[in-house]
Amino acid sequence: MTCYSRQMRLSASLIKRLKRTAAGASTTRSFTTTEGHRPSIVHKRSIDILHDPWYNKGTAFSMTERDRLDLRGLLPPNVMSSVQQIERFMVDLKRLEVNARDGPSDPNALAKWRILNRLHDRNETMYYKVLIANIEEYAPIVYTPTVGLVCQNYGGLFRRPRGMYFSAADRGEMMSMVYNWPADQVDMIVVTDGSRILGLGDLGVQGIGIAIGKLDLYVAAAGMNPQRVLPVMIDVGTSNERLLKDPLYLGLQEHRLDGEEYLAVIDEFMEAVFTRWPHVIVQFEDFQSKWAFKLLQRYRNTYRMFNDDVQGTAGVAIAGLLGAVRAQGKPMIDFPKMKIVVAGAGSAGIGVLNAARKTMARMLGNNETAFQSARSQFWVVDAQGLITEERAHIDSEALPFARKVKEADRQGLKEGASLVEVVKQVKPDVLLGLSAVGGLFSKEVLEALKGSTSTKPAIFAMSNPTKNAECTPEEAFSTLGENIIFASGSPFQDVDLGNGHIGHCNQGNNMYIFPGIGLGTLLSGSRIISDGMLQAAAECLAAYMTEEEVHGGIIYPSISRIRDITKKVAAAVVKEAIEEDLAEGYREMDARELRKLNQEEIEAYVHDNMWRPEYPTLVFKND
């Protein structure tokens, strides 16, 4: 299940051999898709084409196409290449963005979002060209942290409809509603109910911005076809009193449904989308903890679905933890020996705990004894302090990680002990923050980490958006010095420690994991998304970094390499699905053919099925 090493990248000659026709190459197979090369048939002409972002090329329409599609005279006469178009757009972007002063860390973040969104509205191909070419700069704009600001202001920013809205008022109508979406094929849906948007709480229908941003990353990182993705908001009301009183709020102005009424809406939605698109993958995003686990367990063995907050966050965290083991000069097999203090017991925190425990158990023999033994490595602190079995009304999901009273006593700790006390007494190798409480890792907490038994303790301040990070890299490095490993959920700048030394800020972004999980599931045709497939994704990401990088404190790669990372993660997911006998194939590649592929061929298969933003030749045909 480990990722293919960097040295196993296919050579140009091997890729060429893999792309030959079967007649010309007896030892390899061709997996090349032709979607981007054959003409696209369109049933509209003239101004209607220019108003359709799926087909609009703007000034890049050739003169032949202008004649064929009745566009002559509707565009300036100079035919521009896509490269020229992007250059012109970037000049405009740099000029316009300086007029705004808003955003969480980039003072022009919301201005950039507006400009990119306008491009998305009129020309999808060019939008994704820009996004892919500048992914390191624009991923924080189309997704976290700027997307949080977008969601908070979505009512005022809303212009062109994007995605679908299923509401409590649509009960009994969803099976017919789903056919209102124009695409006959949908590969990926990201759905939210707006109840827990990042660390911002209940934003109701405005949470659709999360689903839109996430799918932009699916297209940019995983090469999902943008015409086959669908952002969805399930509007079951809101508990946000400000929105209930806001006359400009776009959603249902009634209190959020709960209990069986809530489940009935989600059940109806799931049945409707899987009836129309039986092979779709549904990613649940930013559901409150109360429902995140329940819905995951309710659907995961029936539908192709996963929850990114629970499983994606866990995968990225596990990869980072395994990377931290390597950075401390130990083999990854030593992971079960790490002492980990976890701040936060919501859906993300519990998701990471469950995944880390399973990873440790697998390394210890993957039996019940190993599984029970692994729990002793975790100390969990929530808003009420250390969780022990003495806790009244303990959440059922957190119960397996509650410390036994005798265990806590031996460590000199009691139920409800503060985070500072726990860090002082446990002396952890890792301090992991998934609390959504900005500044939780105070100077006192960081000072306590100086007592860690590790020579290079790791601090994971993973909460989003930026203002909710448990601490900043500057705070961590200034308090503890350069011999630490630092990771965050939102992007921060590296810290100049002087004398040529750099304190690396590793962004543990779910973007490293979820696109590969989605793409790998799609291309394997797996019936479900298994724990093994998720584990394969995490181990692949952990193995991606070189020894030199991890020893220098770099445990996550640069976002600029996201297409290559996703390709390898997806290939690892496909391989695991094959090994678990879950793969059923994709299009012409049936399960039998998949099982014949070696590792290099799986990676080539993934590469050849990643969509690329190229203008297709358009041919008009009457209905």
Side-chain angles (χ1 to χ4, degrees):
M1 298 189 305
T2 58
C3 186
Y4 322 134
S5 70
R6 293 162 65 89
Q7 289 74 27
M8 291 180 68
R9 290 178 181 170
L10 299 179
S11 67
S13 61
L14 179 56
I15 290 175
K16 287 178 181 177
R17 290 202 303 275
L18 287 171
K19 291 184 177 181
R20 288 175 190 161
T21 62
S26 59
T27 59
T28 57
R29 284 173 289 282
S30 171
F31 315 118
T32 306
T33 58
T34 56
E35 278 180 78
H37 304 290
R38 59 177 177 237
S40 293
I41 305 299
V42 293
H43 303 287
K44 56 182 70 176
R45 288 183 294 190
S46 190
I47 201 74
D48 291 335
I49 282 283
L50 300 181
H51 290 167
D52 188 331
W54 280 357
Y55 297 116
N56 180 31
K57 302 181 187 181
T59 54
F61 279 109
S62 68
M63 294 310 295
T64 301
E65 283 185 309
R66 295 184 191 201
D67 286 337
R68 189 163 61 231
L69 299 171
D70 295 345
L71 293 173
R72 189 179 286 268
L74 300 181
L75 293 162
N78 187 12
V79 177
M80 304 187 79
S81 69
S82 60
V83 173
Q84 289 174 306
Q85 285 184 309
I86 291 173
E87 287 175 354
R88 184 161 54 90
F89 173 77
M90 296 301 290
V91 168
D92 196 37
L93 176 62
K94 299 301 179 185
R95 177 179 60 82
L96 290 172
E97 69 183 30
V98 299
N99 295 324
R101 290 293 180 269
D102 50 24
S105 55
D106 181 343
N108 306 313
L110 201 54
K112 290 180 182 178
W113 182 89
R114 287 190 184 101
I115 297 164
L116 286 166
N117 195 56
R118 287 199 291 269
L119 176 60
H120 196 178
D121 284 348
R122 66 179 183 268
N123 187 330
E124 284 212 347
T125 301
M126 186 176 164
Y127 171 74
Y128 287 114
K129 274 183 175 289
V130 169
L131 183 56
I132 291 170
N134 302 275
I135 191 66
E136 197 163 15
E137 179 179 0
Y138 293 150
I141 301 298
V142 302
Y143 196 58
T144 184
T146 305
V147 72
L149 190 65
V150 170
C151 289
Q152 288 176 297
N153 296 278
Y154 199 75
L157 294 170
F158 178 85
R159 295 293 182 271
R160 175 179 177 267
R162 203 182 302 281
M164 288 196 75
Y165 299 80
F166 295 83
S167 78
D170 298 317
R171 280 174 284 188
E173 301 294 334
M174 294 184 194
M175 191 65 76
S176 58
M177 283 173 61
V178 75
Y179 288 91
N180 291 341
W181 188 249
D184 290 330
Q185 290 181 285
V186 171
D187 294 332
M188 176 62 64
I189 289 173
V190 174
V191 59
T192 183
D193 69 351
S195 59
R196 191 198 63 83
I197 299 301
L198 299 174
L200 302 171
D202 186 344
L203 295 183
V205 77
Q206 297 177 170
I208 186 69
I210 285 287
I212 293 168
K214 212 78 169 185
L215 285 168
D216 278 350
L217 298 186
Y218 264 114
V219 176
M224 288 283 189
N225 188 322
Q227 295 189 29
R228 294 182 184 172
V229 301
L230 173 58
V232 170
M233 161 55 60
I234 299 181
D235 185 359
V236 290
T238 178
S239 298
N240 185 322
E241 292 298 325
R242 181 182 64 80
L243 297 178
L244 289 171
K245 297 172 183 176
D246 184 352
L248 300 181
Y249 177 58
L250 297 172
L252 293 178
Q253 289 187 294
E254 54 190 51
H255 284 94
R256 186 172 285 277
L257 290 183
D258 203 359
E260 292 301 317
E261 282 190 300
Y262 175 86
L263 282 174
V265 173
I266 310 297
D267 282 349
E268 185 178 346
F269 162 76
M270 292 294 279
E271 184 181 2
V273 296
F274 279 95
T275 296
R276 183 174 183 197
W277 303 296
H279 303 295
V280 72
I281 303 162
V282 176
Q283 176 182 311
F284 278 59
E285 187 73 26
D286 285 359
F287 282 70
Q288 60 183 311
S289 300
K290 174 180 179 178
W291 288 112
F293 288 102
K294 289 180 182 177
L295 295 176
L296 179 60
Q297 296 307 317
R298 188 178 184 88
Y299 301 128
R300 70 171 304 189
N301 295 319
T302 308
Y303 298 117
R304 292 182 359 148
M305 61 80 63
F306 70 107
N307 183 301
D308 183 50
D309 304 297
V310 176
Q311 295 163 302
T313 299
V316 171
I318 295 304
L321 292 171
L322 293 173
V325 176
R326 294 177 66 199
Q328 291 168 353
K330 305 169 188 174
M332 283 198 287
I333 198 70
D334 278 2
F335 178 50
K337 299 177 183 177
M338 294 186 85
K339 293 178 293 182
I340 303 173
V341 170
V342 180
S347 59
I350 298 298
V352 170
L353 284 164
N354 283 325
R357 185 182 183 185
K358 289 175 182 176
T359 301
M360 288 181 175
R362 285 160 66 97
M363 292 179 171
L364 291 170
N366 207 23
N367 52 45
E368 185 59 29
T369 301
F371 189 66
Q372 293 303 324
S373 172
R375 68 179 292 279
S376 65
Q377 301 305 115
F378 304 100
W379 298 76
V380 186
V381 180
D382 66 2
Q384 300 174 55
L386 177 67
I387 300 176
T388 73
E389 291 181 346
E390 280 191 329
R391 173 78 59 92
H393 310 297
I394 189 168
D395 186 274
S396 60
E397 301 294 340
L399 183 59
F401 300 98
R403 300 299 301 198
K404 296 182 184 301
V405 175
K406 289 183 179 178
E407 292 174 338
D409 284 342
R410 282 198 297 270
Q411 207 73 45
L413 294 168
K414 300 292 184 184
E415 159 64 34
S418 70
L419 181 60
V420 172
E421 292 177 284
V422 173
V423 172
K424 281 181 179 177
Q425 297 302 320
V426 174
K427 306 183 192 314
D429 300 290
V430 178
L431 177 58
L432 176 58
L434 290 156
S435 65
V437 180
L440 181 65
F441 295 169
S442 63
K443 187 174 182 62
E444 188 180 8
V445 170
L446 294 173
E447 289 278 2
L449 197 58
K450 288 181 177 178
S452 170
T453 53
S454 173
T455 57
K456 203 168 188 178
I459 301 165
F460 286 71
M462 301 294 280
S463 292
N464 287 317
T466 311
K467 69 182 183 66
N468 287 351
E470 284 78 9
C471 70
T472 67
E474 289 87 352
E475 291 166 342
F477 284 106
S478 64
T479 302
L480 293 165
E482 65 179 283
N483 286 321
I484 62 170
I485 301 149
F486 184 87
S488 61
S490 289
F492 286 96
Q493 295 296 316
D494 289 343
V495 179
D496 186 351
L497 302 176
N499 298 320
H501 291 239
I502 297 294
H504 291 287
C505 177
N506 298 276
Q507 187 189 1
N509 195 324
N510 286 20
M511 184 179 177
Y512 290 123
I513 284 280
F514 71 79
I517 293 171
L519 181 61
T521 302
L522 176 70
L523 298 183
S524 71
S526 177
R527 302 181 295 276
I528 61 169
I529 300 173
S530 70
D531 285 338
M533 292 161 68
L534 297 165
Q535 184 78 24
E539 290 183 7
C540 177
L541 178 58
Y544 189 85
M545 307 304 297
T546 65
E547 289 300 314
E548 182 181 0
E549 287 171 323
V550 294
H551 289 153
I554 302 173
I555 58 173
Y556 291 116
S558 167
I559 290 291
S560 64
R561 293 146 72 181
I562 193 63
R563 296 273 289 196
D564 184 61
I565 296 163
T566 298
K567 176 177 66 177
K568 293 181 183 297
V569 170
V573 170
V574 170
K575 184 173 183 288
E576 180 64 21
I578 294 169
E579 291 180 357
E580 293 186 32
D581 200 27
L582 293 171
E584 295 186 351
Y586 175 72
R587 296 188 181 173
E588 293 81 15
M589 182 68 70
D590 62 24
R592 183 182 59 184
E593 289 297 311
L594 271 177
R595 285 192 288 270
K596 294 178 183 177
L597 303 183
N598 60 37
Q599 290 188 341
E600 290 181 338
E601 289 175 325
I602 291 174
E603 193 167 324
Y605 166 62
V606 172
H607 175 272
D608 287 342
N609 278 283
M610 293 173 75
W611 179 85
R612 293 162 186 80
E614 302 296 338
Y615 288 131
T617 299
L618 300 183
V619 176
F620 173 75
K621 183 179 179 182
N622 279 311
D623 289 327

